[in-house]
């Protein structure tokens, strides 16, 4: 192979995927950006006018409320998942190789099941006559069924389950990769177990935790089927509303504007959280060093 | 502070990593645990540090039994083989770690850390991260981090093995110098005989979890008491046979080929009838030996290698192959095939039991 060919081969190999992404992702995205600035009439999108009407409409309490709910639910899910996944990752990381692989497979298994099937499974558990409410009634703990579905609780439960692995996996990898000598060294220098965790294990795993939480958060923001099935019409989230606006109302400008705001809001939060992680790594333990 | 190990034992599955080790390290002593990989030396060190809990036996520090004391409550610090510096903390914070854990006052932490960094010649590098300093500097950060808390005992786990040869020689001297200046009881784990010889007051040679011999570097090298110590600590000429007689601090051994070789012995040497080996270091073998070299044999030169400071001669005497490290002189060494007389003093030969 001559030098010229060697230089161009990587680009050549990248070409097919780049082409697919351009046609299937980038072009529709650009089209959506354009659509969001067009007018809308009952006959459909009006490509002859340029307006911010679609964006202004998002300030309506209804749409603003849906955005607020989506953001709130996504943050709650990410926070709860981070708290739940950390001890699991700690536990898994200290097991032997084979047990680690097995347990990770168990935690990964929900991801292997179709999201609609998963949501339906949850309705069997969470419904008014579902397993959980039956148990509560049998034990005499409640008289009326506890509402666990068709509200935010249902969506949060379903998405914690569905997106758990995205926090667990990077966290486990980081924790398992920490040189055990670092913990021994901290203990040897007088750190009790809690101090070892606070000063060594936690800071060294924090970047991975944040990476996992960011992935988890973007997945929550974009979730469609689970909120639709477990939240019902009363707990609408942006992705589901955008689907309705686009495909039921056929209001493409408004649908596009919603998608754009969802995308930009998510990106901003991702970039912000990465900044926080980066600055956290610069923090010193003993400020007297300054 | 003096440290004592009493009949220490630890098994990992079927393997006895420490198989009844007892020794006493005096206050201020530089003591080495020397042995091949798998001899249990690192496990002993980790037992002293509290990372490994022994199955039996005791670790006694300055008269107090610390065998069951938790890791963080021991007054010994360890320099890890891979240094185990905290990658997310600066050099300064790495060194300050132990002091922060001991709740030392802020102002005192600063002065002590600066002192420790100056001691290992790292002043001014406090704000770097471990990844931003060289391997040799990382090694010294680890040393400063261990010394700054003024522990009773300093433990060094192959601290020089990750450095290149030149830096290793330099650090060897520096480490010993720092240890002398601080006057701290130090235990070094190493598989490198030269490292152990150059730095130690005393050495314990270990094999398969047991102490083979404890002694000064000179004793270990010149008067090895077991076959393992003799061969691990350097090259040896060996004459295997049966002890014929022991008298006046001398034992004579008869080899199957009918040769008689003598060695100086102590009281606990193998007695008559025992299978044993007489061993002589190559540099004790002389060419055209003087009158006091009472062990002599005729040999034929096989090869001669010029090594600068010495000449390594390989010669054959009957069925025995002999190594001789001869001083380089003005006269050219004998050529291969030449007939020579080689000899050594009985006092330079040792007797060890057959392995």
């Amino acid at each position: 192979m001559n030098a010229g060919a060697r230089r161009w081969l990587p680009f050549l190999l990248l070409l097919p995927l780049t082409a697919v992404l351009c046609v299937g992702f980038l072009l529709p995205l650009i089209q959506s950006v354009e659509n969001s600035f067009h007018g809308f009439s009952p006959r459909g999108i009006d490509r002859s006018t340029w307006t911010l009407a679609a964006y202004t409409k998002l300030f309506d309490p209804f749409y603003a409320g849906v955005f607020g709910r989506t953001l709130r639910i996504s943050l709650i899910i990410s926070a709860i998942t981070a708290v739940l996944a950390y001890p699991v990752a700690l536990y898994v990381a200290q097991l032997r190789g084979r047990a680690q692989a097995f347990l990770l497979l168990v935690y990964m298994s929900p991801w292997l099941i179709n999201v609609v099937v998963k949501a339906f499974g949850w309705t069997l558990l969470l419904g008014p006559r579902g397993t959980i409410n039956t148990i509560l009634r049998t034990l005499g703990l409640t008289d009326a069924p506890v509402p666990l579905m068709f509200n935010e609780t249902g969506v949060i439960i379903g998405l914690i389950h569905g997106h758990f692995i995205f926090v667990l996996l990077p966290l486990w990898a980081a924790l398992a990769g920490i040189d055990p000598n670092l913990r021994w060294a901290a203990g040897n220098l007088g750190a009790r177990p809690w101090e070892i965790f606070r000063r060594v294990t936690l800071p060294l795993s924090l970047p991975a935790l944040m990476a996992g939480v960011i992935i988890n958060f973007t997945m929550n923001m974009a979730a469609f089927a689970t909120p639709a099935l477990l939240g019902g019409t009363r707990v609408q989230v942006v992705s589901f509303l955008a689907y309705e606006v686009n495909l039921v109302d056929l209001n493409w400008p408004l649908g596009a504007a919603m998608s754009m705001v969802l995308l930009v809001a998510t990106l901003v939060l991702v970039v912000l959280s990465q900044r926080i992680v980066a600055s956290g790594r610069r923090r010193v333990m003993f400020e007297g060093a300054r | 502070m003096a440290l004592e190990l009493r009949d220490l034992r630890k098994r990992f599955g079927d393997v006895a990593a420490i198989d009844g080790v007892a020794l006493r390290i005096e206050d201020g002593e530089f003591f080495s645990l020397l042995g091949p990989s798998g001899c249990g030396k690192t496990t002993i060190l980790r037992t002293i540090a509290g990372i490994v809990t022994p199955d039996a036996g005791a670790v006694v520090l300055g008269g107090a039994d610390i065998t069951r004391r938790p890791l963080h409550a021991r007054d010994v610090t360890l320099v890890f083989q891979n240094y185990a510096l905290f990658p997310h903390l600066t050099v300064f914070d790495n060194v300050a770690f132990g002091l922060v854990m001991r709740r030392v006052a802020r102002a005192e932490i600063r002065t002590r850390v600066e002192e420790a960094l100056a001691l290992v010649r790292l002043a001014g590098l406090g704000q770097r991260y471990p990844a931003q300093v060289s391997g040799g500097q990382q090694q010294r950060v680890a040393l400063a981090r261990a010394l700054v808390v003024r522990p009773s005992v300093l433990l060094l786990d192959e601290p020089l093995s990750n450095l290149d040869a030149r830096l290793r020689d330099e650090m060897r001297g520096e480490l010993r110098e720092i240890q002398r200046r601080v006057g701290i009881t130090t235990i070094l784990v190493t598989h490198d005989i030269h490292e152990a010889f150059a730095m130690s007051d005393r050495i314990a040679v270990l094999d398969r979890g047991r102490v083979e011999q404890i002694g000064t570097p000179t004793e270990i090298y010149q008067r090895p008491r077991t076959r393992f110590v003799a061969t691990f600590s350097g090259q040896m000429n060996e004459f295997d046979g049966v002890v014929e007689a022991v008298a006046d601090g001398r034992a004579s051994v008869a080899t199957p080929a009918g040769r008689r070789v003598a060695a100086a012995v102590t009281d606990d040497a193998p007695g008559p009838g025992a299978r044993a080996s007489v061993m002589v270091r190559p540099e004790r073998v002389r060419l055209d030996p003087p009158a006091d070299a009472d062990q002599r044999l005729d040999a034929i030169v096989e090869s001669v290698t010029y090594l600068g400071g010495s000449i390594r001669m390989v010669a054959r005497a009957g069925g025995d192959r002999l190594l001789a490290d001869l001083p380089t002189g003005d006269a050219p060494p004998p050529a291969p095939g030449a007939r020579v007389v080689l000899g050594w003093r009985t006092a330079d030969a040792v007797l060890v039991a057959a392995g």
Side-chain angles (χ1 to χ4, degrees):
Chain A
M1 200 192 298
N2 65 43
R6 193 168 302 178
R7 188 182 304 170
W8 286 108
L9 190 67
F11 297 100
L12 210 66
L13 290 170
L14 277 174
L15 202 62
L17 185 63
T18 313
V20 168
L21 278 175
C22 281
V23 175
F25 180 72
L26 202 58
L27 285 181
L29 193 66
I30 293 167
Q31 183 68 59
S32 292
V33 174
E34 192 204 316
N35 285 353
S36 70
F37 291 107
H38 281 312
F40 176 71
S41 72
R43 276 174 294 145
I45 186 165
D46 178 5
R47 294 193 185 280
S48 60
T49 58
W50 295 87
T51 169
L52 286 171
Y55 287 98
T56 330
K57 195 165 187 194
L58 291 181
F59 286 100
D60 282 2
F62 172 72
Y63 294 105
V66 171
F67 270 101
R69 175 190 299 127
T70 307
L71 192 63
R72 187 177 65 246
I73 291 179
S74 298
L75 287 174
I76 290 172
I77 294 163
S78 291
I80 294 178
T81 306
V83 172
L84 290 181
Y86 208 103
V88 176
L90 271 180
Y91 174 72
V92 176
Q94 51 87 45
L95 291 174
R96 288 164 191 278
R98 198 175 287 229
Q100 283 194 19
F102 174 74
L103 215 58
L104 284 176
L105 197 68
V106 169
Y107 276 97
M108 235 182 286
S109 58
W111 194 244
L112 305 175
I113 299 163
N114 179 287
V115 64
V116 177
V117 176
K118 246 186 315 194
F120 181 69
W122 276 113
T123 63
L124 296 178
L125 288 169
L126 303 176
R129 296 173 173 280
T131 314
I132 292 171
N133 270 311
T134 310
I135 290 171
L136 289 176
R137 248 196 321 272
T138 314
L139 293 173
L141 294 170
T142 55
D143 300 328
V146 180
L148 295 170
M149 249 179 70
F150 301 129
N151 56 16
E152 289 187 10
T153 312
V155 179
I156 290 169
I157 292 174
L159 286 181
I160 285 174
H161 177 240
H163 297 162
F164 195 75
I165 194 73
F166 297 102
V167 179
L168 181 63
L169 268 189
L171 197 53
W172 159 78
L175 288 171
I178 294 176
D179 176 5
N181 278 345
L182 293 182
R183 288 192 287 268
W184 295 130
N188 179 251
L189 291 166
R192 290 160 185 277
W194 161 247
E195 291 282 356
I196 297 176
F197 176 76
R198 189 164 80 89
R199 305 226 186 232
V200 178
T201 311
L202 185 63
L204 287 177
S205 63
L206 216 48
L209 177 67
M210 280 312 291
V213 165
I214 288 168
I215 300 170
N216 178 275
F217 173 75
T218 57
M219 302 280 296
N220 299 341
M221 290 287 277
F224 177 80
T226 307
L229 292 165
L230 292 175
T233 46
R234 277 188 293 165
V235 190
Q236 287 200 328
V237 293
V238 177
S239 61
F240 187 73
L241 192 61
Y243 158 81
E244 279 201 330
V245 169
N246 268 315
L247 296 176
V248 179
D249 304 347
L250 293 176
N251 188 342
W252 292 359
L254 183 59
M258 293 179 72
S259 311
M260 286 310 122
V261 172
L262 182 63
L263 180 67
V264 171
T266 308
L267 282 179
V268 165
L269 283 166
V270 167
V271 170
L272 273 182
S273 53
Q274 276 174 337
R275 284 267 170 82
I276 293 167
V277 173
S279 71
R281 226 177 306 176
R282 296 262 167 279
R283 223 179 44 211
V284 292
M285 178 184 74
F286 177 72
E287 300 90 296
R290 297 275 149 193
Chain B
M1 211 177 271
L3 183 91
E4 210 182 325
L5 304 181
R6 291 181 188 155
D7 194 32
L8 214 56
R9 287 168 194 279
K10 179 69 184 180
R11 298 186 74 85
F12 292 118
D14 292 338
V15 184
I18 312 175
D19 196 6
V21 165
L23 47 87
R24 187 184 158 81
I25 297 151
E26 300 303 333
D27 187 29
E29 193 174 23
F30 198 119
F31 193 93
S32 289
L33 300 172
L34 172 68
S37 63
C39 73
K41 56 193 191 295
T42 294
T43 309
I44 293 174
L45 208 66
R46 291 188 159 228
T47 307
I48 298 169
I51 296 172
V52 171
T53 311
D55 299 333
V59 180
V60 180
L61 176 63
D65 187 336
I66 62 164
T67 319
R68 307 283 148 191
R69 200 179 284 181
L71 179 64
H72 63 83
R74 297 191 179 203
D75 197 21
V76 299
T77 52
L78 172 58
V79 174
F80 288 76
Q81 186 171 10
N82 68 353
Y83 316 141
L85 298 178
F86 306 120
H88 58 300
L89 299 179
T90 59
V91 165
F92 187 103
D93 280 352
N94 264 280
V95 178
F97 195 97
L99 298 174
V100 173
M101 290 303 118
R102 283 163 175 73
R103 312 213 183 289
V104 174
R106 191 157 278 263
E108 192 188 340
I109 290 182
R110 190 180 313 189
T111 45
R112 277 172 72 176
V113 171
E114 301 290 356
E115 274 170 24
L117 288 175
L119 180 72
V120 298
R121 297 195 290 120
L122 284 178
L125 291 184
Q127 293 313 308
R128 303 261 190 100
Y129 282 85
Q132 295 169 329
V133 300
S134 70
Q137 289 170 333
Q138 289 178 9
Q139 209 276 327
R140 284 181 279 168
V141 175
L143 185 63
R145 185 176 71 173
L147 282 174
V148 76
V149 299
R150 296 172 192 155
S152 303
V153 178
L154 176 68
L155 308 174
L156 305 169
D157 188 3
E158 308 243 9
L160 307 179
S161 64
N162 284 334
L163 304 177
D164 62 52
R166 233 186 63 204
L167 202 54
R168 192 162 23 197
D169 285 351
E170 197 184 307
M171 278 307 294
R172 196 185 277 167
E174 198 168 319
L175 204 57
R176 182 70 225 241
E177 171 56 30
I178 290 170
Q179 188 268 343
R180 281 217 183 93
R181 218 181 314 158
V182 180
I184 187 172
T185 312
T186 303
I187 305 174
L188 169 78
V189 153
T190 183
H191 65 269
D192 184 333
I193 48 166
H194 303 295
E195 203 170 294
F197 285 161
M199 296 166 75
S200 317
D201 295 316
R202 284 192 305 151
I203 298 170
V205 183
L206 296 159
D207 183 36
R208 283 174 287 178
R210 291 172 162 278
V211 174
E212 288 276 316
Q213 185 173 346
I214 298 176
T216 64
T218 320
E219 286 165 356
I220 296 291
Y221 189 74
Q222 294 186 356
R223 307 305 305 172
R225 303 173 70 134
T226 70
R227 187 183 196 84
F228 178 82
V229 175
T231 51
F232 187 75
S233 57
Q235 281 186 299
M236 277 290 193
N237 290 299
E238 299 178 32
F239 300 93
D240 303 337
V242 175
V243 179
E244 274 193 335
V246 181
D248 304 330
R250 264 177 74 111
S252 74
V253 165
T255 70
R259 189 186 301 284
R260 278 194 174 68
V261 204
V265 294
T266 47
D267 292 345
D268 55 351
R275 292 183 54 231
S277 304
V278 169
M279 296 196 163
V280 189
R281 296 279 182 207
E283 69 273 14
R284 295 289 173 176
V285 177
R286 318 269 287 271
L287 179 66
D288 300 325
D292 68 333
D294 48 351
Q295 302 290 312
R296 288 161 183 263
L297 36 86
D298 300 318
I300 297 170
V301 178
E302 272 192 349
S303 70
V304 174
T305 312
Y306 182 72
L307 300 171
S310 65
I311 290 163
R312 161 61 56 91
M313 177 191 283
V314 181
R316 190 160 287 282
D320 296 314
R321 196 161 160 273
L322 266 165
L323 301 177
D325 287 343
L326 308 169
T328 43
D330 296 333
R339 292 179 174 280
V340 291
V341 179
L342 295 174
W344 58 88
R345 299 182 310 159
T346 301
D348 288 337
V350 294
L351 182 74
V352 297

